[in-house]
Amino acid sequence: MTTFGYTLHATSGAARRGTVTTPRGLIQTPAFMPVGTAATVKAMQVRDVAATGAEIILGNTYHLMLRPSAERIARLGGLHRFMGWEGPILTDSGGFQVMSLAKLRRLTEKAVTFQSHIDGSRHELSPERSIEIQNLLGSDIQMQLDECPPFPIAEDASLESLELSLRWAKRSKAAFDHLADDGRALFGIVQGSVYPDQRKRSAEGLMEIGFPGYSVGGLAVGEGQGAMFETLEVTTPLLPRDKPRYLMGVGKPDDLVGAVARGIDMFDCVLPTRSGRHGQAFTWDGPINIKNATYQDDPTPLDPESDCPASRDYAKAYLNHLFRAGEYLAATLLSWHNLAFYQALMQRMRTAIEDDRFEAFAADFLNRYRSSS
Amino acid sequence: MTTFGYTLHATSGAARRGTVTTPRGLIQTPAFMPVGTAATVKAMQVRDVAATGAEIILGNTYHLMLRPSAERIARLGGLHRFMGWEGPILTDSGGFQVMSLAKLRRLTEKAVTFQSHIDGSRHELSPERSIEIQNLLGSDIQMQLDECPPFPIAEDASLESLELSLRWAKRSKAAFDHLADDGRALFGIVQGSVYPDQRKRSAEGLMEIGFPGYSVGGLAVGEGQGAMFETLEVTTPLLPRDKPRYLMGVGKPDDLVGAVARGIDMFDCVLPTRSGRHGQAFTWDGPINIKNATYQDDPTPLDPESDCPASRDYAKAYLNHLFRAGEYLAATLLSWHNLAFYQALMQRMRTAIEDDRFEAFAADFLNRYRSSS
C-alpha cells in the first residue's frame, strides 16, 4: 500500500513544485481541485474532468451526509465508485457549509447541531462524526472539523474560536487514527483570521498534534485579496517545508498565482464551474461574459491553442446561442472550458517554478490577464 | 460529389433493411434520428450522440429560424460546423412547430404568418422561405412545407388541407431545385389523417411531383397506436420501393417496432431525450422511472451489457441521487442512456431483418418490453 506523502522538487522564490503521493495516484502541485459538491462536478462528466488534467477532486461532506447520506454511499462502494472518479478525492469536514447553508445552528464544545437546508431534518456534526463520514465516503485526504468564523471577527472571539478548532483538531486526529485505512491522510486547518499572532498560535498548535498536510482556512471570506496575501505571507513560513499546504476555497486565477507565489500547493474553488454555468469564461486576456451580444456573430473559439474540445471546437457565437436558448450544453461547455483553463494555468505555474522563473511568469500572466479589465 | 440515394438490401415481411447515401455519410436503415432542436441534442455532447451509433440527427427549422436565425448560422459556416456534428442532418420544414408553438398564426395559400413564442416578433414561412432556410442551415435532407392539421379533423377539412400541402409540395420542389447544393434531398410529406383514400390521393400527388424520399406526416398526434398502424398499413404500400420512408415524430420503442414491421425506414422523436430529462429510462424490460425510491440503494446499472458508459458505468442509485439533487448530469446520463437504447433497438431490428426473422424478433421484444407494465 502506497502511503500518503509529499515530495518537494523545486522552488522559485516561495513558490513550490512538488508531488503529493496517494494510493489512488499522484498529484502534481501546485494543484487545482475541481469541486464535486454532490458527487458530481456540476454539469460535467468525470471523464472530461480528468481530461482537463485534474488529478484530484473535492467532495462536500455537508451535502453528501444530507443527500444521499454517507452510509448509503458506503453501502454502494464508496464515493469513488458511486460517481465514477478513480483518482484521489479530498473531502472537507462539513463545518464550513454548516455555517453557510444550514439552519438553526447550535455550537457547543462537543459538536455543532443544525437543520438540513434541504428537508429541515436535524443533524449533529462532531469532530468524530465528521471523520466517520469522511471515511464512509472513502476520502483520500480528509479535513479536521473546525469552526469557520465569519469575517470580520473581533480578536478575542477569533482566538476563542481558534482554540476550539485546535481542540477539535486533536479529537479529529484521534478519530482518524482509529478509523482510517492506510494511505489516507488527515489535514489540520490553520485558523486565526487576519491576526498574525493567532495564525502562529494555530499553526504551532496543529504542528504539535502533527498532520501530514496543513490547510489554510478562514480566508476568501470577504477580507479581500490584499489581506489574504498578507495573511498567507505570515502563515506559510510557519508550516513545515516537507508537507503540502492547501488554501481552502480559493479562488480567482490571479488569487491562485498570488497564493502560489506565497507558498501554497493546493486549491479548490467552485468558481470555474459556477461562473461557467452563468456564462463567464476565463481566458488569458481576462474573464469575458459569453452571453454578451458582442459574441453573437463571433466565429472564433475561446482558445484555439487549447486541447480542450470545449475551448477549441466551438465558436463563441455557438456558446452565446446555447446560453440564450437556455440549453444544458451551455453550462457543460463553459464549465469544461473553465476547468481546462484552470488546469492549464496550474501547468504553466508548475513549469515556471521548475524553470525558476515564477516571478516573471506571474508578472506576465497578471499583466495580460488584467489588461482588458 | 456523392448523390443522395437509397439501397434496399433485404426485407422481412414488410420490414426493410437499407442504406441511405448522402455526401456526409451513410445511414443504415431502419434508422432513428435524435432531435437537435436548437442546434444541440438537449443535455448531450455531439461526440456522445455519435458514439451511441446515431448516423444522422434532426434540426428544427422553426427554432433555428427564430434563434439564432438561419442567416446567422449560414454566416458561421452552416449548422454542421455551428454545432460540431459532421454527419448528415435532416431538417423539418418548420410547419409543425408553427402550428404547435407559435402565436397568432394566419394561414393563406401563399404562406403562414405567425408570432415568435420567444419574443413576439412576426415571421412569414412560405414553402420557398422554408427551403431557403433549410439551405442556409446546410441541411442534407429537407422537408417540404406542409400544413399539419390537428387530430381529429373532419374528412372535408382534411382533404382541403392535403390539397394545399400538395400545392406547397410542388412549390417546395421548385424552390429546392433552384437553391439546393448537389447531394441534398427534399422529401415530400404524405398527409390525409386517418382517411385511407386521402393518404392514397396524397401519396399519388407527391409521386407525380417526384421526390427522392417520402415522409409520413400527420401521425402521432393523438390518434393512438392502433389507428397509426392502420394508417401505415394503407400508406407504405403506396410508396415507391426504392425510396426511403420517414415517419415523422415517432415514437415509443413499441411504436418503432410496429412501424418498421409496416415498412418505415426512418424515425425521429424527442422522447428519449425528453423522457431522460424527466427521469424515465427505457430498458428491454420496459420503461422505469429512476426517481422512484426503489432505486435509492440499487447498485446495478441500467444495462450492464451495453457499451454506453451511461448505461453501464453508473448504479441506478447514483442516477436516482443525481435527479433528487437536481444535477445537470442526471439529464445528461439518462438522455444518453435512452439514445443508446434506441440505437441498440434499431441495430437489433436491422439484424433481425437481415436474418429474415423480424416477426419473431418483434414478438419477443414486445413480450419482454411489456411484461412489467
Side-chain angles (χ1 to χ4, degrees), chain A residues 49-69:
Chain A
V49 174
T52 64
E55 294 172 318
I56 174 170
I57 62 172
L58 182 140
N60 285 124
T61 286
Y62 173 80
H63 287 282
L64 295 170
M65 72 183 280
L66 297 182
R67 187 174 55 197
S69 90

Side-chain angles (χ1 to χ4, degrees), chain A residues 200-280:
Chain A
K200 184 160 188 285
R201 161 69 190 134
S202 178
E204 287 172 354
L206 292 171
M207 285 156 62
E208 201 171 300
I209 302 168
F211 290 95
Y214 294 87
S215 306
V216 182
L219 292 176
V221 291
E223 75 283 2
Q225 192 185 66
M228 178 169 81
F229 286 171
E230 282 168 29
T231 304
L232 289 179
E233 278 162 24
V234 299
T235 304
T236 55
L238 303 167
L239 297 173
R241 190 177 156 84
D242 62 346
K243 301 280 190 276
R245 304 150 178 183
Y246 158 36
L247 178 56
M248 305 180 80
V250 174
K252 297 192 298 295
D254 47 323
D255 293 332
L256 303 189
V257 172
V260 167
R262 291 163 178 86
I264 294 294
D265 304 305
M266 299 167 68
F267 301 90
D268 81 285
C269 193
V270 297
L271 194 65
T273 44
R274 180 176 290 166
S275 295
R277 294 198 301 283
H278 293 101
Q280 186 178 54

Side-chain angles (χ1 to χ4, degrees), chain B residues 32 251-253 256 271-272 282 338-346:
Chain B
F32 179 81
K252 298 193 298 295
L256 303 189
L271 194 64
F282 294 99
N338 283 343
L339 287 178
F341 177 83
Y342 267 61
Q343 294 300 334
L345 174 58
M346 302 316 291

Side-chain angles (χ1 to χ4, degrees), chain B residues 249-331:
Chain B
V250 173
K252 298 193 298 295
D254 47 322
D255 293 332
L256 303 189
V257 172
V260 166
R262 290 163 179 85
I264 293 294
D265 304 305
M266 299 166 69
F267 302 89
D268 81 285
C269 193
V270 296
L271 194 64
T273 44
R274 179 177 291 166
S275 295
R277 294 197 301 283
H278 292 100
Q280 187 179 53
F282 294 99
T283 83
W284 301 108
D285 297 302
I288 65 171
N289 188 332
I290 202 72
K291 296 190 284 189
N292 196 302
T294 186
Y295 301 112
Q296 274 190 305
D297 280 296
D298 189 334
T300 66
L302 284 167
D303 186 353
E305 309 290 315
S306 172
D307 58 5
C308 170
S311 312
R312 181 193 61 201
D313 294 347
Y314 300 95
K316 294 192 190 83
Y318 183 61
L319 303 171
N320 175 282
H321 163 69
L322 292 176
F323 271 98
R324 286 171 183 254
E327 290 288 348
Y328 286 77
L329 189 59

